[in-house]
Amino acid sequence: MRFKFVSTVAALVTAMSMTAPAAHAEQFINILTGGTSGVYYPLGVAIGKIYGDKIPGIRAQVQATKASVENLNLIEQGRGELAFTLGDSLKAAVEGDEEAGFKKKLTKLRTIAAIYPNYIQIVATSESGIKTLADLKGKTLSVGAPKSGTELNSRAILKAAGMSYKDLKQVQYLPFAESVDLMKNRQLDATLQSAGLGVASLKDLSSSTEINVVAVPKATVEKIGPPFVSVIIPANTYTGQKSDVETAAVVNYLVTNSDVSDDVAYQMTKQIFENLPELANAHAAGKSIKLETAASGSPAPLHPGAIRYYKEKGILK
């Protein structure tokens, strides 16, 4: 009897040890976003919740970063499974543009989806007297964190306008929220923020300080060329902005690593587009994410898992 009991217990332990790994197996999806006052972060948090709720065996976590360039380098190193990036940064990464922050061509980047356009939003305090791009000469401007997607946008815009950082009185390399704090305290004239419309930092600034939203004329945008396009910041996007303002926009993308399995990439893609209302609730920019345009235009190849989903939905043949 004692032998039978021991044998039975041993069999149960063996069975449990064989099934336990499957029962407790968890796969992490680390979502690389940007600063907490931008658009990437709240959308990343929403995506993380969707993944955690909808994909069995997945545990998602969200990481605040310096955004595009850092995100792409981390994805290439396998230190993240999903990352937000600007289209021009992605192009630079694929090409190995060292000046943009990529020491070599990043070959493991795979696209999950094109999402919403980033609007280049140049906002100055009314007190500064800055109303046009030319008025930035001799003024102080925050251009985003060094080598971030926003900072690369800043260089491109100024170059197309016939200027460089040398034409400014001072350049500050600051995240969105810190730039706004300095403007409120009259320590900074203007900020360039590459983000979705209605970004929290600029809403905060316009609610407490009189501002001018500086236009980037269509002719200037055309000098830069793709992936930049000419768009409009609608009137009343920010407090005190009484009219439409021309500017440039760059499409954002979600990217992953080629080592991520097809099944996981498929689920990452599927759950985004089957839960778009949650993204729209997380930030207004989420309303601009459309399945119809998700598979087009990326400088990096689509992940096979994403391709599978887009074929199922008839977006790709």
Side-chain angles (χ1 to χ4, degrees):
M1 289 290 291
R2 185 171 180 272
F3 175 77
K4 280 187 175 182
F5 176 75
V6 171
S7 298
T8 302
V9 170
L12 284 170
V13 169
T14 301
M16 288 174 67
S17 66
M18 290 175 67
T19 58
H24 293 90
E26 269 191 329
Q27 183 163 347
F28 283 89
I29 294 179
N30 189 28
I31 301 170
L32 307 172
T33 59
T36 55
S37 61
V39 179
Y40 288 174
Y41 188 80
L43 286 180
V45 170
I47 290 172
K49 186 175 188 309
I50 291 167
Y51 287 175
D53 291 345
K54 306 281 187 178
I55 308 177
I58 289 296
R59 183 175 174 186
Q61 59 186 22
V62 179
Q63 182 177 339
T65 67
K66 294 178 182 177
S68 298
V69 176
E70 181 181 14
N71 290 352
L72 293 168
N73 282 314
L74 289 172
I75 286 287
E76 180 76 8
Q77 296 161 20
R79 295 168 62 189
E81 286 67 47
L82 188 72
F84 288 78
T85 181
L86 279 165
D88 58 332
S89 297
L90 184 55
K91 182 173 184 286
V94 170
E95 294 174 350
D97 185 341
E98 190 166 353
E99 188 177 341
F102 305 102
K103 295 180 180 179
K104 60 180 181 178
K105 293 180 180 180
L106 304 192
T107 60
K108 291 190 172 185
L109 302 178
R110 297 294 182 269
T111 301
I112 290 293
I115 44 176
Y116 66 92
N118 247 33
Y119 285 66
I120 312 301
Q121 299 166 83
I122 305 174
V123 175
T125 61
S126 293
E127 190 178 75
S128 71
I130 298 170
K131 295 181 179 179
T132 68
L133 287 174
D135 293 337
L136 288 169
K137 291 182 179 179
K139 302 292 185 178
T140 56
L141 174 69
S142 178
V143 295
K147 301 292 186 182
S148 64
T150 293
E151 202 254 317
L152 297 182
N153 290 171
S154 299
R155 291 175 184 268
I157 295 295
L158 289 175
K159 182 178 179 181
M163 291 187 287
S164 71
Y165 289 169
K166 293 179 181 179
D167 293 300
L168 305 173
K169 180 180 179 181
Q170 186 181 31
V171 178
Q172 294 277 7
Y173 299 89
L174 298 172
F176 295 172
E178 291 179 36
S179 302
V180 164
D181 287 342
L182 287 184
M183 291 176 74
K184 287 180 180 178
N185 294 326
R186 299 180 176 179
Q187 295 175 287
L188 182 69
D189 294 318
T191 178
L192 186 151
Q193 302 195 3
S194 182
L197 284 179
V199 61
S201 52
L202 296 180
K203 279 187 170 290
D204 174 35
L205 175 66
S206 67
S207 67
S208 61
T209 305
E210 289 190 14
I211 63 165
N212 293 327
V213 181
V214 180
V216 181
K218 186 175 182 179
T220 303
V221 179
E222 289 174 347
K223 286 182 182 178
I224 309 172
F228 289 80
V229 294
S230 185
V231 292
I232 296 292
I233 301 174
N236 302 310
T237 298
Y238 300 106
T239 303
Q241 181 205 340
K242 296 178 181 178
S243 58
D244 292 350
V245 177
E246 285 186 318
T247 194
V250 186
V251 174
N252 285 284
Y253 293 88
L254 289 171
V255 297
T256 189
N257 185 295
S258 57
D259 293 336
V260 170
S261 74
D262 291 1
D263 286 344
V264 170
Y266 169 83
Q267 285 294 338
M268 288 199 299
T269 310
K270 177 180 179 178
Q271 297 307 331
I272 286 170
F273 291 101
E274 296 194 357
N275 294 279
L276 287 177
E278 283 87 339
L279 299 186
N281 288 336
H283 195 282
K287 297 174 184 176
S288 299
I289 302 175
K290 308 292 184 187
L291 177 60
E292 294 76 15
T293 55
S296 61
S298 178
L302 286 165
H303 193 289
I307 291 173
R308 176 180 148 200
Y309 177 73
Y310 294 134
K311 284 185 175 180
E312 281 184 4
K313 303 304 289 186
I315 302 302
L316 293 176
K317 293 182 179 179

